[in-house]
Amino acid sequence: MRIVKYLGQLGILWGVYLAGRWLTEALALPVPANVVGVVLLFALLCLGVVKLDYVAETADFLLRHLVFFFIPIAVGLMDWGGVFYQYGFVLLAAVVVSSVLPFFAVGFLTLFLHRRRA
């Protein structure tokens, strides 16, 4: 009986993804379909159209095992060794800046908003 519940929840998540994909193609959005699907799922959850109980267990399972979805990408990166060797420092700088800059931006924004509120 649990397998039917998980398949139903997976069906809802898959349907939301397909709706996001359709929206992306229909509106020619320059955003990946999975991002549109996540935004759509968030909107449906906020509006109460989809209850959290309808998708929670399967979503938790997928999030717990998310690392396995990155294995094909990591294996594919092995073919890019020459690019990393040639542009390694530039790529490292880009990763560090794109990680640290939002970190401090969010921190300063949070401090600003808390000071304004108080």
Side-chain angles (χ1 to χ4, degrees), residues 23-86:
L23 276 171
T24 301
E25 291 174 4
L27 301 175
L29 296 173
V31 179
N34 55 347
V35 173
V36 175
V38 168
V39 171
L40 182 62
L41 180 61
F42 179 72
L44 292 173
L45 286 168
C46 286
L47 294 172
V49 175
V50 174
K51 303 284 188 230
L52 186 58
D53 295 338
Y54 296 171
V55 295
E57 290 181 52
T58 300
D60 286 341
F61 173 82
L62 291 172
L63 287 173
R64 270 195 315 270
H65 297 89
L66 187 65
V67 72
F68 294 118
F69 296 113
F70 289 101
I71 291 173
I73 295 169
V75 171
L77 285 176
M78 291 179 184
D79 291 336
W80 289 69
V83 174
F84 290 127
Y85 181 76
Q86 186 175 1

Side-chain angles (χ1 to χ4, degrees), residues 84-100:
F84 290 127
Y85 181 76
Q86 186 175 1
Y87 300 106
F89 289 115
V90 173
L91 292 171
L92 180 64
V95 168
V96 169
V97 168
S98 65
S99 299
V100 172

Side-chain angles (χ1 to χ4, degrees), residues 4-24:
V4 174
K5 180 179 180 180
Y6 292 146
L7 287 175
Q9 291 182 2
L10 187 62
I12 292 171
L13 293 172
W14 189 264
V16 171
Y17 162 73
L18 290 176
R21 186 172 160 192
W22 178 83
L23 276 171
T24 301

